[in-house]
Amino acid sequence: MARIAQADVDEVKARTNIADIVGERVALKSAGVGSLKGLCPFHDERSPSFHVRPQVGYYHCFGCGESGDVYSFLRAMDHLSFTEAVERLAGRIGYTLHYEDGGAAPETSGRTRLYQANTAAAEWFRGQLATPEAETGRRFLGERGFDAGAAAHFGVGYAPQGWSGVRDALKRQGFTDDEMLAAGLLSQGQRGVYDRFRGRVVWPIRDVSGQTIGFGARRLYDDDKGPKYLNTPETPIYKKAQVLYGLDLAKKDISRSHRVVVVEGYTDVMACHLAGVTSAIATCGTAFGADHMRIVGRIVGTDASGEVVFTFDPDAAGQKAAVRAFAEARTSGLQSYVAVGPEGLDPCDLRLNRGDGAVRSMIDTKSPLFEFVIDQRIAGHDLASVEGRVAALAAAAPIVAEIKDAGIRGRYEHVLARRLGEDLREVHREVQRAGARTHRGDTSASPSSRAAVPPSATSSDVPPHGCEAPIRVTMSTLPRTVDAALERDALMGVLQYGHLLGAADVDEALALPMHVAALDAVRQSIRAQPDRTRIGWASTAVESVREPYRSLAVELLTASFPALTEEEATASTRALARRLRIRAVDREKTELLGAIQRLPADSDEGRRVRLALRDLDARRRALAEEV
């Protein structure tokens, strides 16, 4: 594949706000002037250690060490090649890319073509919903309370009953059978390829950025022997365990309200949004799992009142789904609830039968997921008998024991005691026993094995005999001295606000060697940059720092700088640079004072040193008086 011109790569990066791209996947909050933070998308965490610096176009996680620019973020999150990441962002801002041979950027990269094929198919399906054949589909939607406006808002379309409708339409647009097969739009049979979706209402499934990555389709006709709902198969861009329908529409309200509502189907998402519950999403043909929880957890954010509300049918399948959801929700740090409609109505039927207000009321009258799961655990036991109550307590106690907060755990012991009609002390003892059993199961390794390998390590984490683990220099490993603190803060200010400072402000300070070798390595890389007004200069400087000091440079670029405003930050950086220059003057003066003790007062050398000391005093006064 031809290489995109570097000027285009730089221009697209300069025109893209990294906070917008990261913010689609992570709830970001202010972390000081010019800094944002949120839960890291690269590892599980409860407290935010993932920082984004929009003005320098860089991110860094102080927990796991992941860092990079907007291109590396997209590549990691969406498994794109570098070219695909540039193409994605260029398309987002409407920028025409050019390759180094001077031609326009060809749109032939694999993943890019899959996105384009799905987008083209979505547009074609939408157009088909207006055709005479789609009357059955329009009636299906209308019977569920969705008019043409609602269908347009969610991009709902119709797949005709023929075998090659979308295939023929996309072939006319230049897509090949292989590309459509890879996108999941076609299926392969003994007689060749044919449309996967036929005679169905079709919902486009989009990723968090709004790009169509697949489809969900509902059967309409009695002679269709396929499943009631048919989804896109696994493709390079569609992974059902990581896809949530409606997230592209709901993400802003989820982040703003710190609440996500998880429903069971496409029509339920539509009903909720139209009723005003605009934080509703749904899984796509799979149970709500750990990957889904991590995705919504990052968008909900770290607010103490963050909520995930599940809606389940009150039947056996819904009860099983609640227990599975509980297993994921209890590790997320979010408050988890269950909302069940009156008479078991799902949001779509509830809106149709009782109006928008009933849907909102259903969500508002949610109950804690713990209580719901406890009720499921004790259901089926004969609570009128001693044996039944003992069995129910044994079944429910492990659920309560898993609650980490002692105060909340105690309140749920009261709930369980009331449900069973048992003495609170006996419930408490059983919960403690259940917790002890779980703890013993987690720490069953022998003392010798625990001594050999730390609990958080695997065999691959332990370096071979005679080898040392690689050194990782970070801000936390710097010496705790006044000099180290001055050098650290000065470099942090230059990296983050150097584009706002003139050469006279910092060049002289950057020419002075630093006491700490790691910080001096960063200084040298900064000084080597020819133009600190250029967009992206700081990330280039960081990436050129020699190992093992690069991780330190990344932290200096992304850590919170102690200032309340940009003006304060630039003034502080100038002051820090001035202190470095004053420090150099003081050191030179100390050396001369030591020399003059060894020289005769009336010697030419002694007079020269005294004059030099006088000049140094004048320089120091001038530096101290600089504003």
Side-chain angles (χ1 to χ4, degrees):
M1 181 182 296
R3 185 174 178 178
I4 299 173
Q6 187 60 45
D8 283 356
V9 173
D10 294 340
E11 185 65 22
V12 170
K13 185 176 177 180
R15 294 192 190 188
T16 301
N17 186 341
I18 190 174
D20 293 339
I21 305 303
V22 176
E24 291 178 343
R25 295 164 171 83
V26 179
L28 296 173
K29 293 184 177 180
S30 175
V33 57
S35 180
L36 302 167
K37 68 179 179 180
L39 295 177
C40 179
F42 301 107
H43 80 290
D44 292 332
E45 61 178 2
R46 296 289 185 87
S47 299
S49 57
F50 183 77
H51 286 242
V52 179
R53 283 274 175 183
Q55 76 273 22
V56 295
Y58 219 73
Y59 66 86
H60 176 70
C61 176
F62 287 82
C64 70
E66 288 286 342
S67 60
D69 61 11
V70 68
Y71 293 137
S72 58
F73 182 82
L74 271 183
R75 293 184 68 184
M77 294 303 297
D78 294 344
H79 310 289
L80 304 177
S81 68
F82 179 79
T83 297
E84 289 168 340
V86 179
E87 289 176 347
R88 171 85 67 85
L89 293 179
R92 185 184 177 105
I93 63 174
Y95 185 88
T96 301
L97 293 172
H98 295 81
Y99 279 34
E100 290 185 337
D101 61 8
E107 299 178 353
T108 56
S109 57
R111 294 175 63 92
T112 298
R113 290 293 282 175
L114 299 189
Y115 285 114
Q116 293 170 344
N118 277 287
T119 299
E123 293 175 357
W124 188 78
F125 287 140
R126 279 198 297 272
Q128 294 303 301
L129 188 61
T131 63
E133 183 191 326
E135 172 58 30
T136 305
R138 294 192 295 273
R139 184 166 62 249
F140 169 88
L141 294 169
E143 289 172 350
R144 285 154 181 79
F146 306 127
D147 58 17
H153 179 70
F154 291 93
V156 184
Y158 174 77
Q161 289 182 287
W163 293 87
S164 62
V166 75
R167 181 193 181 204
D168 294 341
L170 267 61
K171 269 186 170 296
R172 289 192 292 271
Q173 297 184 41
F175 293 96
T176 66
D177 284 347
D178 286 343
E179 289 172 335
M180 287 183 272
L181 278 166
L185 296 168
L186 303 183
S187 294
Q188 179 75 55
Q190 293 181 347
R191 298 183 179 180
V193 295
Y194 56 91
D195 287 0
R196 177 178 178 83
F197 305 109
R198 306 179 310 281
R200 290 173 176 256
V201 170
V202 178
W203 287 265
I205 299 170
R206 306 182 181 104
D207 64 15
V208 69
S209 67
Q211 291 207 92
T212 302
I213 57 176
F215 298 91
R218 207 276 191 187
R219 184 180 62 204
L220 292 174
Y221 303 104
D222 293 338
D223 60 354
D224 185 342
K225 303 305 180 185
K228 182 176 180 180
Y229 281 94
L230 179 65
N231 282 29
T232 293
E234 295 278 306
T235 75
I237 63 173
Y238 180 87
K239 309 293 182 185
K240 64 182 179 181
Q242 301 171 2
V243 173
L244 289 163
Y245 175 73
L247 187 58
D248 58 309
L249 299 174
K251 63 188 177 187
K252 288 185 180 179
D253 283 339
I254 292 172
S255 181
R256 181 168 54 245
S257 66
H258 304 292
R259 182 179 74 175
V260 60
V261 177
V262 182
V263 298
E264 293 197 325
Y266 308 117
T267 57
D268 290 333
V269 170
M270 293 177 69
C272 283
H273 279 250
L274 294 173
V277 183
T278 51
S279 58
I281 58 173
T283 59
C284 301
T286 186
F288 192 87
D291 287 340
H292 297 128
M293 181 58 76
R294 280 191 286 270
I295 291 168
V296 301
R298 290 194 295 265
I299 297 177
V300 171
T302 57
D303 190 281
S305 61
E307 298 178 357
V308 54
V309 182
F310 297 95
T311 63
F312 298 112
D313 293 333
D315 56 15
Q319 293 170 10
K320 289 181 180 179
V323 174
R324 286 194 301 267
F326 165 75
E328 305 301 341
R330 66 184 176 82
T331 63
S332 69
L334 299 176
Q335 299 180 49
S336 51
Y337 298 89
V338 170
V340 178
E343 301 176 15
L345 293 173
D346 60 31
C348 182
D349 289 337
L350 184 60
R351 175 176 178 265
L352 189 62
N353 294 335
R354 305 193 183 185
D356 292 347
V359 177
R360 296 192 295 270
S361 178
M362 169 188 169
I363 304 303
D364 292 339
T365 56
K366 60 190 184 295
S367 60
L369 182 57
F370 274 122
E371 291 188 17
F372 187 85
V373 174
I374 287 172
D375 287 342
Q376 307 313 310
R377 284 296 177 96
I378 66 178
H381 294 282
D382 181 10
L383 301 185
S385 68
V386 173
E387 293 80 5
R389 290 194 298 275
V390 169
L393 176 56
I399 299 295
V400 181
E402 290 175 344
I403 303 174
K404 291 182 173 62
D405 188 297
I408 297 176
R409 185 170 61 247
R411 288 196 287 273
Y412 276 106
E413 289 174 357
H414 279 273
V415 171
L416 183 55
R418 287 198 303 271
R419 294 283 204 279
L420 300 177
E422 287 290 303
D423 184 82
L424 177 62
R425 290 170 295 182
E426 180 55 36
V427 170
H428 177 68
R429 282 193 292 269
E430 183 60 29
V431 169
Q432 285 188 315
R433 285 194 289 267
R437 287 193 295 271
T438 300
H439 180 71
R440 284 196 300 271
D442 290 341
T443 58
S444 58
S446 66
S448 61
S449 67
R450 290 197 298 271
V453 181
S456 61
T458 66
S459 59
S460 62
D461 295 321
V462 183
H465 181 66
C467 298
E468 294 185 5
I471 298 172
R472 181 167 177 253
V473 181
T474 65
M475 288 172 61
S476 64
T477 64
L478 293 174
R480 297 182 180 277
T481 64
V482 173
D483 279 332
L486 170 60
E487 294 170 359
R488 176 201 64 203
D489 292 348
L491 292 179
M492 190 186 304
V494 173
L495 280 170
Q496 296 181 18
Y497 300 100
H499 59 292
L500 301 176
L501 299 169
D505 295 320
V506 294
D507 276 6
E508 187 176 336
L510 289 174
L512 300 169
M514 293 189 165
H515 294 187
V516 180
L519 293 169
D520 197 58
V522 180
R523 176 195 68 82
Q524 292 176 39
S525 183
I526 293 174
R527 195 179 180 214
Q529 300 304 309
D531 181 7
R532 288 194 298 271
T533 64
R534 176 179 59 85
I535 293 293
W537 80 267
S539 59
T540 302
V542 164
E543 289 161 4
S544 63
V545 173
R546 69 181 188 273
E547 294 293 4
Y549 307 125
R550 190 170 299 147
S551 56
L552 169 63
V554 169
E555 290 192 356
L556 293 172
L557 176 64
T558 53
S560 297
F561 189 79
L564 297 178
T565 65
E566 198 171 74
E567 291 76 13
E568 185 179 324
T570 53
S572 178
T573 302
R574 291 189 188 96
L576 289 164
R578 190 162 57 249
R579 285 175 57 193
L580 287 174
R581 294 161 62 194
I582 290 173
R583 185 182 70 171
V585 170
D586 289 343
R587 178 185 295 177
E588 188 176 351
K589 180 178 179 180
T590 299
E591 292 174 354
L592 290 178
L593 286 172
I596 203 170
Q597 301 301 319
R598 300 186 295 273
L599 297 171
D602 57 350
S603 66
D604 290 343
E605 186 66 14
R607 284 190 290 273
R608 186 189 68 76
V609 170
R610 283 194 295 274
L611 287 172
L613 285 170
R614 187 177 63 186
D615 290 342
L616 286 176
D617 285 339
R619 282 172 56 192
R620 195 186 194 289
R621 283 194 301 272
L623 286 171
E625 292 171 359
E626 281 186 12
V627 179

